[in-house]
Amino acid sequence: NAGVTQTPKFQVLKTGQSMTLQCAQDMNHEYMSWYRQDPGMGLRLIHYSVGAGITDQGEVPNGYNVSRSTTEDFPLRLLSAAPSQTSVYFCASSYRGRNSGANVLTFGAGSRLTVL
Amino acid sequence: GDSVTQMEGPVTLSEEAFLTINCTYTATGYPSLFWYVQYPGEGLQLLLKATKADDKGSNKGFEATYRKETTSFHLEKGSVQVSDSAVYFCALGITGGGNKLTFGTGTQLKVEL
């Protein structure tokens, strides 16, 4: 199984450029989410989705857009990149909880973005 | 809001030493608690979890006990190996909260021969 696949692994942008980080999962997970990882700050939630056609904002949504047209895909769009968006981005997915407790996330390998 | 506090790293140990990484949390609900591990160049993967008070999660020789009275979930391993070198994240999630986990800042562990 591929699990959660993110592309690209590395990207360099200039300020003001736009791009899309791709995320795909093949586990038929209902939930998908995007986190960013910054030194000394752990992982912070950007946007999440509880199913196709449903998205919501996380802790740090500004400057990012998402959509979820299929169960498998959850792309993250940067409309006008800024140096503050230099980070490592992780996509994660999980089943809707069927047992007690919060869901276990499956993460992709990450996408390292540098904005000059 | 919910928060997770971890001890800062890096933590450097000799092989076969005892490991403790402290984690405390603040939550408005009754959370599940997790330890995730990130090996160099990879994404995070679940190490262990606990869903209710006094539960002990364990995996690969690592253990952590959900202590509601001290709001803690400290990670321990009796004898670390070089292959345990990684970044360890403590996290909490609320039942029914889907994939909205709150993470600590991470603790880097370096194990030397």
PDB file of all heavy atoms in Angstrom, chain B residues 9-23:
ATOM      1  N   GLY B   9      14.837  19.544  23.701  1.00  0.00           N
ATOM      2  CA  GLY B   9      16.017  18.763  23.389  1.00  0.00           C
ATOM      3  C   GLY B   9      17.131  19.650  22.915  1.00  0.00           C
ATOM      4  O   GLY B   9      17.061  20.863  23.091  1.00  0.00           O
ATOM      5  N   PRO B  10      18.158  19.108  22.314  1.00  0.00           N
ATOM      6  CA  PRO B  10      18.263  17.664  22.098  1.00  0.00           C
ATOM      7  C   PRO B  10      18.679  16.914  23.353  1.00  0.00           C
ATOM      8  O   PRO B  10      19.312  17.474  24.235  1.00  0.00           O
ATOM      9  CB  PRO B  10      19.339  17.562  21.022  1.00  0.00           C
ATOM     10  CG  PRO B  10      20.177  18.782  21.213  1.00  0.00           C
ATOM     11  CD  PRO B  10      19.255  19.852  21.697  1.00  0.00           C
ATOM     12  N   VAL B  11      18.251  15.669  23.413  1.00  0.00           N
ATOM     13  CA  VAL B  11      18.658  14.764  24.463  1.00  0.00           C
ATOM     14  C   VAL B  11      19.687  13.811  23.868  1.00  0.00           C
ATOM     15  O   VAL B  11      19.413  13.169  22.857  1.00  0.00           O
ATOM     16  CB  VAL B  11      17.458  13.970  25.006  1.00  0.00           C
ATOM     17  CG1 VAL B  11      17.909  12.909  25.996  1.00  0.00           C
ATOM     18  CG2 VAL B  11      16.432  14.906  25.632  1.00  0.00           C
ATOM     19  N   THR B  12      20.853  13.749  24.483  1.00  0.00           N
ATOM     20  CA  THR B  12      21.928  12.881  23.991  1.00  0.00           C
ATOM     21  C   THR B  12      22.206  11.814  25.028  1.00  0.00           C
ATOM     22  O   THR B  12      22.471  12.145  26.192  1.00  0.00           O
ATOM     23  CB  THR B  12      23.198  13.674  23.677  1.00  0.00           C
ATOM     24  OG1 THR B  12      22.898  14.699  22.724  1.00  0.00           O
ATOM     25  CG2 THR B  12      24.271  12.762  23.104  1.00  0.00           C
ATOM     26  N   LEU B  13      22.121  10.557  24.626  1.00  0.00           N
ATOM     27  CA  LEU B  13      22.332   9.430  25.520  1.00  0.00           C
ATOM     28  C   LEU B  13      23.305   8.439  24.910  1.00  0.00           C
ATOM     29  O   LEU B  13      23.443   8.371  23.672  1.00  0.00           O
ATOM     30  CB  LEU B  13      21.010   8.715  25.795  1.00  0.00           C
ATOM     31  CG  LEU B  13      19.927   9.490  26.543  1.00  0.00           C
ATOM     32  CD1 LEU B  13      18.638   8.659  26.590  1.00  0.00           C
ATOM     33  CD2 LEU B  13      20.384   9.839  27.937  1.00  0.00           C
ATOM     34  N   SER B  14      23.920   7.675  25.764  1.00  0.00           N
ATOM     35  CA  SER B  14      24.733   6.554  25.307  1.00  0.00           C
ATOM     36  C   SER B  14      23.848   5.342  25.095  1.00  0.00           C
ATOM     37  O   SER B  14      22.791   5.204  25.738  1.00  0.00           O
ATOM     38  CB  SER B  14      25.816   6.219  26.329  1.00  0.00           C
ATOM     39  OG  SER B  14      26.686   7.321  26.518  1.00  0.00           O
ATOM     40  N   GLU B  15      24.256   4.484  24.184  1.00  0.00           N
ATOM     41  CA  GLU B  15      23.477   3.268  23.928  1.00  0.00           C
ATOM     42  C   GLU B  15      23.306   2.487  25.232  1.00  0.00           C
ATOM     43  O   GLU B  15      24.206   2.424  26.063  1.00  0.00           O
ATOM     44  CB  GLU B  15      24.162   2.404  22.883  1.00  0.00           C
ATOM     45  CG  GLU B  15      23.219   1.424  22.191  1.00  0.00           C
ATOM     46  CD  GLU B  15      23.854   0.751  20.989  1.00  0.00           C
ATOM     47  OE1 GLU B  15      25.037   0.374  21.076  1.00  0.00           O
ATOM     48  OE2 GLU B  15      23.159   0.607  19.965  1.00  0.00           O
ATOM     49  N   GLU B  16      22.124   1.928  25.421  1.00  0.00           N
ATOM     50  CA  GLU B  16      21.698   1.143  26.584  1.00  0.00           C
ATOM     51  C   GLU B  16      21.329   2.010  27.784  1.00  0.00           C
ATOM     52  O   GLU B  16      20.962   1.470  28.836  1.00  0.00           O
ATOM     53  CB  GLU B  16      22.754   0.107  26.985  1.00  0.00           C
ATOM     54  CG  GLU B  16      23.030  -0.920  25.890  1.00  0.00           C
ATOM     55  CD  GLU B  16      23.999  -1.994  26.328  1.00  0.00           C
ATOM     56  OE1 GLU B  16      24.444  -1.967  27.485  1.00  0.00           O
ATOM     57  OE2 GLU B  16      24.317  -2.873  25.497  1.00  0.00           O
ATOM     58  N   ALA B  17      21.368   3.317  27.641  1.00  0.00           N
ATOM     59  CA  ALA B  17      20.928   4.190  28.736  1.00  0.00           C
ATOM     60  C   ALA B  17      19.414   4.194  28.838  1.00  0.00           C
ATOM     61  O   ALA B  17      18.698   3.805  27.900  1.00  0.00           O
ATOM     62  CB  ALA B  17      21.448   5.610  28.516  1.00  0.00           C
ATOM     63  N   PHE B  18      18.916   4.671  30.005  1.00  0.00           N
ATOM     64  CA  PHE B  18      17.482   4.798  30.240  1.00  0.00           C
ATOM     65  C   PHE B  18      16.997   6.144  29.701  1.00  0.00           C
ATOM     66  O   PHE B  18      17.655   7.167  29.883  1.00  0.00           O
ATOM     67  CB  PHE B  18      17.192   4.704  31.745  1.00  0.00           C
ATOM     68  CG  PHE B  18      15.724   4.723  32.077  1.00  0.00           C
ATOM     69  CD1 PHE B  18      14.988   3.548  32.051  1.00  0.00           C
ATOM     70  CD2 PHE B  18      15.081   5.909  32.411  1.00  0.00           C
ATOM     71  CE1 PHE B  18      13.632   3.548  32.354  1.00  0.00           C
ATOM     72  CE2 PHE B  18      13.722   5.919  32.722  1.00  0.00           C
ATOM     73  CZ  PHE B  18      13.008   4.738  32.692  1.00  0.00           C
ATOM     74  N   LEU B  19      15.839   6.105  29.056  1.00  0.00           N
ATOM     75  CA  LEU B  19      15.284   7.313  28.450  1.00  0.00           C
ATOM     76  C   LEU B  19      13.987   7.711  29.134  1.00  0.00           C
ATOM     77  O   LEU B  19      13.108   6.872  29.362  1.00  0.00           O
ATOM     78  CB  LEU B  19      14.996   7.076  26.968  1.00  0.00           C
ATOM     79  CG  LEU B  19      14.161   8.155  26.259  1.00  0.00           C
ATOM     80  CD1 LEU B  19      14.980   9.433  26.082  1.00  0.00           C
ATOM     81  CD2 LEU B  19      13.650   7.655  24.915  1.00  0.00           C
ATOM     82  N   THR B  20      13.870   9.003  29.441  1.00  0.00           N
ATOM     83  CA  THR B  20      12.589   9.602  29.821  1.00  0.00           C
ATOM     84  C   THR B  20      12.431  10.897  29.059  1.00  0.00           C
ATOM     85  O   THR B  20      13.336  11.734  29.082  1.00  0.00           O
ATOM     86  CB  THR B  20      12.494   9.902  31.324  1.00  0.00           C
ATOM     87  OG1 THR B  20      12.644   8.705  32.078  1.00  0.00           O
ATOM     88  CG2 THR B  20      11.147  10.514  31.663  1.00  0.00           C
ATOM     89  N   ILE B  21      11.311  11.063  28.399  1.00  0.00           N
ATOM     90  CA  ILE B  21      10.943  12.341  27.773  1.00  0.00           C
ATOM     91  C   ILE B  21       9.624  12.766  28.403  1.00  0.00           C
ATOM     92  O   ILE B  21       8.617  12.077  28.282  1.00  0.00           O
ATOM     93  CB  ILE B  21      10.798  12.234  26.247  1.00  0.00           C
ATOM     94  CG1 ILE B  21      12.102  11.774  25.613  1.00  0.00           C
ATOM     95  CG2 ILE B  21      10.384  13.597  25.678  1.00  0.00           C
ATOM     96  CD1 ILE B  21      12.029  11.592  24.095  1.00  0.00           C
ATOM     97  N   ASN B  22       9.660  13.903  29.078  1.00  0.00           N
ATOM     98  CA  ASN B  22       8.475  14.366  29.797  1.00  0.00           C
ATOM     99  C   ASN B  22       7.462  15.020  28.869  1.00  0.00           C
ATOM    100  O   ASN B  22       7.825  15.742  27.927  1.00  0.00           O
ATOM    101  CB  ASN B  22       8.868  15.354  30.889  1.00  0.00           C
ATOM    102  CG  ASN B  22       9.624  14.692  32.015  1.00  0.00           C
ATOM    103  OD1 ASN B  22       9.480  13.485  32.239  1.00  0.00           O
ATOM    104  ND2 ASN B  22      10.439  15.445  32.720  1.00  0.00           N
ATOM    105  N   CYS B  23       6.189  14.791  29.163  1.00  0.00           N
ATOM    106  CA  CYS B  23       5.096  15.401  28.412  1.00  0.00           C
ATOM    107  C   CYS B  23       3.958  15.678  29.376  1.00  0.00           C
ATOM    108  O   CYS B  23       3.518  14.779  30.102  1.00  0.00           O
ATOM    109  CB  CYS B  23       4.621  14.475  27.304  1.00  0.00           C
ATOM    110  SG  CYS B  23       3.107  15.030  26.476  1.00  0.00           S
TER     111      CYS B  23
END
